[in-house]
């Protein structure tokens, strides 16, 4: 269940400190030590799973609901203007801690965060080819 080398499992076990802001039977939410904005929190399942592809389905649902709770509180209590939920799946996608987690990042008008890509129209044929692969059952 727990991975002895996993820093987030150690937080779940209470072996290393964290500033916990929400918890339920399946999830724990705590402040990120390197916040992108004021109120940046992480939501994790208590049970260890490395990433989005391996996390238990019921845990994933519980994490989603916890994310929504925190997003609502960020808007109500921190007066955030919006919220980003971010999950990185795999090292190539910037994942650095391999215990599934979702970043709940409150957004404020004028904050310095920017999209990491420049949205621009794509090649329709290539979009269609990728779609075919994704839609194949
Ligand atoms: P990611 O790069 O998506 O895997 O996110 C990992 C996040 O965990 C980073 O934003 C780190 O700042 C955060 N982090 C790492 N160690 C801790 C810790 N002990 N307590 C709180 N946040 C942490
Ligand atoms: Zn873990």
């Amino acid at each position: 269940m727990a991975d002895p080398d996993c820093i987030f499992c150690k937080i779940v076990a209470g072996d290393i400190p964290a500033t916990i802001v929400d918890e339920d039977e399946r999830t724990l939410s705590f402040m990120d030590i390197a916040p992108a904005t004021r109120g940046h929190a992480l939501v994790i399942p208590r049970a260890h799973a490395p990433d989005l592809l391996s996390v238990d389905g019921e845990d994933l649902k519980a994490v989603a609901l916890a994310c929504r709770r925190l997003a609502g509180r960020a808007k109500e209590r921190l007066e955030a203007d919006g919220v980003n939920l971010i999950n990185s799946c795999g090292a190539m996608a910037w994942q650095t801690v391999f215990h599934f987690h979702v970043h709940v990042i409150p957004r404020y008008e004028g904050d310095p965060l920017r999209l990491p890509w420049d949205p621009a129209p794509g090649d329709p044929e290539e979009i269609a080819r990728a779609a075919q692969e994704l839609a194949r059952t």
Side-chain angles (χ1 to χ4, degrees):
M1 199 89 153
D3 175 340
D5 298 323
C6 172
I7 190 162
F8 288 176
C9 283
K10 287 179 185 161
I11 288 176
V12 172
D15 292 341
I16 63 168
T19 306
I20 293 167
V21 290
D22 186 85
E23 56 186 314
D24 63 20
E25 236 173 60
R26 286 180 177 269
T27 71
L28 195 64
S29 302
F30 53 92
M31 302 306 281
D32 195 302
I33 43 164
T37 65
R38 182 165 190 260
H40 179 174
L42 300 172
V43 181
I44 67 170
R46 290 178 184 276
H48 181 84
D51 59 22
L52 175 66
L53 297 177
S54 55
V55 68
D56 170 85
E58 290 303 316
D59 281 350
L60 182 58
K61 283 186 208 169
V63 165
L65 291 171
C67 286
R68 186 165 67 174
R69 282 197 294 279
L70 287 177
R73 288 185 213 161
K75 288 201 77 172
E76 280 166 25
R77 303 180 191 174
L78 301 182
E79 298 184 356
D81 300 303
V83 179
N84 281 120
L85 300 185
I86 298 181
N87 168 253
S88 301
C89 182
M92 268 303 295
W94 307 327
Q95 186 174 5
T96 59
V97 176
F98 290 85
H99 179 130
F100 174 67
H101 56 279
V102 178
H103 297 256
V104 181
I105 304 179
R107 300 302 307 274
Y108 304 93
E109 197 177 329
D111 75 35
L113 302 191
R114 294 290 174 268
L115 275 179
W117 72 93
D118 290 326
D123 170 4
E125 284 178 14
E126 173 47 22
I127 292 172
R129 277 195 296 275
Q132 255 177 8
E133 289 304 307
L134 290 173
R136 187 155 48 81
T137 51

